[in-house]
């Protein structure tokens, strides 16, 4: 047994440089699979060309038909008057119409809720019971409110539509951003808060549904304007010095999200559109109470202080 191949004269034959690359050498020396090579030999023995070409009339016709079908399909999908585009336009129109109807009915419900609360209060003859009833109505959002306060406007970054990947999400306003701002306003002393005209109560939720922020089962459109009524001297400063001011500063500087605050002496927060009584108990008519000194309820129809 020899350690290396030798010639017949007994001299050692040197190894090939590519001796360890048999697979690559086989692919380079025999690029055609043995099965294909055998099929080509059979065609040649039968008097046919070894391989078919793209010049075959049948193959050329098949390629032409496939190209025509793909072109017609692409044209139908991108055409402005295609059935798909027409159906989408019809859906958009229906959604817009329903949204306007919801806005109209919500405004009507708020007006009726305010009238109902005012009539209930007028039936209470005792002044203490009347004052406490109004205080409770303010607390649960049954009455529209008017007074000094501040607004916080949140909107997507200007380049949010051009951003891609992770940056696209970080440059948009999320429901948690609105939640943090609202909680910071409550902490700073807000007495009534609304978001884009939707009054917040103890049963209101701020959540994400798809790509929309939903408050009270209603999707909001940007920008998101948070209106808060409260002490004009203390609330803006407490909000700016607290977690709310730090958070919106981070949104602006880090993600480019628009976060603007503005103090005003006359702001209006509407009444809640839907109020449902879950638990009730007799009211103590002997105690007295009154509305907050910094905000006053207003009549929804006329807007005058009551």
């Amino acid at each position: 047994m020899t350690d290396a191949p030798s010639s017949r004269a007994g001299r050692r034959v040197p190894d090939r440089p590519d001796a360890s690359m048999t697979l690559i050498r086989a692919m380079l020396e025999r690029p055609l699979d043995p099965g294909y090579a055998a099929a080509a030999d059979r065609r040649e023995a039968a008097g046919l060309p070894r391989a078919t070409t793209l010049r075959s009339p049948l193959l050329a016709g098949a390629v032409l038909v496939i190209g025509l079908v793909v072109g017609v399909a692409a044209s139908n999908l991108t055409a402005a008057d295609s059935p798909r585009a027409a159906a989408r336009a019809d859906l958009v129109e229906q959604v817009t119409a329903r949204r306007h109807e919801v806005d109209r009915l919500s405004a009507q419900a708020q007006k009726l809720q305010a009238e109902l609360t005012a009539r209930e209060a007028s039936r209470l003859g005792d002044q203490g019971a009347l004052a406490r009833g109004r205080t409770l109505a303010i607390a649960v959002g049954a009455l529209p409110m008017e007074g000094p306060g501040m607004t916080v406007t949140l909107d997507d970054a200007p380049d949010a539509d051009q951003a891609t990947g992770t940056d696209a999400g970080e440059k948009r306003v999320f429901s948690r951003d609105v939640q943090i701002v609202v909680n910071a306003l409550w902490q700073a002393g807000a007495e009534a808060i609304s978001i884009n005209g939707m009054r917040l109560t103890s049963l209101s939720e701020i959540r994400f549904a798809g790509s929309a922020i939903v408050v009270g089962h209603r999707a909001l459109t940007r920008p998101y304007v948070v209106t808060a009524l409260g002490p004009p001297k203390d609330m803006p400063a407490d909000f700016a010095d607290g977690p709310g001011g730090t958070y919106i500063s981070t949104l602006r500087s880090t993600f480019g999200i628009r976060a603007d605050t503005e103090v005003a002496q006359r702001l209006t927060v509407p009444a809640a559109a839907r109020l449902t009584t879950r638990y009730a108990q007799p009211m103590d008519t002997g105690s007295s109470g009154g509305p907050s000194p910094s905000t006053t309820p207003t009549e929804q129809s006329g807007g005058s202080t009551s």
Side-chain angles (χ1 to χ4, degrees), residues 227-275:
T227 303
L229 304 184
K233 295 182 179 180
D234 301 330
M235 186 178 67
D238 292 342
F239 177 81
D241 296 337
T246 303
Y247 191 78
I248 64 173
S249 178
T250 303
L251 291 179
R252 279 195 299 255
S253 59
T254 305
F255 306 108
I257 292 177
R258 176 189 170 191
D260 301 327
T261 60
E262 182 179 356
V263 180
Q265 293 299 318
R266 186 181 179 87
L267 293 173
T268 302
V269 171
R274 294 181 300 177
L275 292 176

Side-chain angles (χ1 to χ4, degrees), residues 4-305:
S6 303
S7 67
R8 292 186 179 182
R11 293 185 301 172
R12 180 184 179 85
V13 178
D15 295 336
R16 293 183 52 168
D18 57 353
S20 61
M21 297 182 289
T22 56
L23 178 60
I24 297 178
R25 190 170 69 247
M27 294 176 60
L28 294 176
E29 294 176 354
R30 297 186 300 274
L32 186 62
D33 185 88
Y36 288 105
D41 293 340
R42 288 195 299 269
R43 288 179 59 85
E44 187 176 16
L48 299 174
R50 292 183 62 85
T52 58
T53 65
L54 294 178
R55 291 172 293 185
S56 172
L58 182 60
L59 181 59
V63 171
L64 180 61
V65 171
I66 293 175
L68 181 62
V69 171
V70 172
V72 172
S75 177
N76 290 336
L77 289 176
T78 57
D81 57 347
S82 65
R84 181 178 179 181
R88 184 178 185 277
D90 182 61
L91 289 176
V92 171
E93 184 178 355
Q94 291 184 30
V95 169
T96 303
R98 296 295 188 275
R99 182 172 295 174
H100 291 163
E101 182 69 10
V102 169
D103 292 341
R104 184 186 68 81
L105 293 177
S106 297
Q108 183 179 359
Q110 291 174 353
K111 178 181 178 180
L112 293 176
Q113 181 66 50
E115 292 179 358
L116 176 62
T117 303
R119 290 179 182 273
E120 289 176 347
S122 64
R123 297 298 299 270
L124 297 175
D126 183 80
Q127 291 297 322
L130 177 61
R132 187 181 180 191
R134 294 175 65 84
T135 301
L136 294 176
I138 293 172
V140 300
L143 287 176
M145 302 294 295
E146 182 180 277
M150 63 181 296
T151 60
V152 181
T153 303
L154 301 176
D155 199 357
D156 297 345
D159 57 344
D161 294 334
Q162 289 75 32
T164 58
T166 306
D167 293 339
E170 292 179 346
K171 292 181 178 295
R172 299 189 183 279
V173 179
F174 293 137
S175 58
R176 66 172 179 269
D177 301 326
V178 182
Q179 291 173 0
I180 291 174
V181 169
V182 168
N183 290 335
L185 287 170
W186 288 123
Q187 183 179 350
E191 299 163 4
I193 297 179
S194 67
I195 305 175
N196 286 18
M198 294 292 297
R199 177 73 172 269
L200 298 184
T201 68
S202 59
L203 301 179
S204 299
E205 76 280 359
I206 304 172
R207 58 186 178 87
F208 226 36
S211 59
I213 295 178
V214 177
V215 176
H217 305 288
R218 179 180 174 186
L220 305 181
T221 57
R222 39 180 288 262
Y224 309 103
V225 181
V226 183
T227 303
L229 304 184
K233 295 182 179 180
D234 301 330
M235 186 178 67
D238 292 342
F239 177 81
D241 296 337
T246 303
Y247 191 78
I248 64 173
S249 178
T250 303
L251 291 179
R252 279 195 299 255
S253 59
T254 305
F255 306 108
I257 292 177
R258 176 189 170 191
D260 301 327
T261 60
E262 182 179 356
V263 180
Q265 293 299 318
R266 186 181 179 87
L267 293 173
T268 302
V269 171
R274 294 181 300 177
L275 292 176
T276 302
T277 301
R278 296 186 176 182
Y279 305 99
Q281 62 182 7
M283 186 173 64
D284 183 8
T285 58
S287 60
S288 62
S292 171
S294 60
T295 58
T296 57
T298 62
E299 295 295 337
Q300 182 71 15
S301 58
S304 58
T305 303

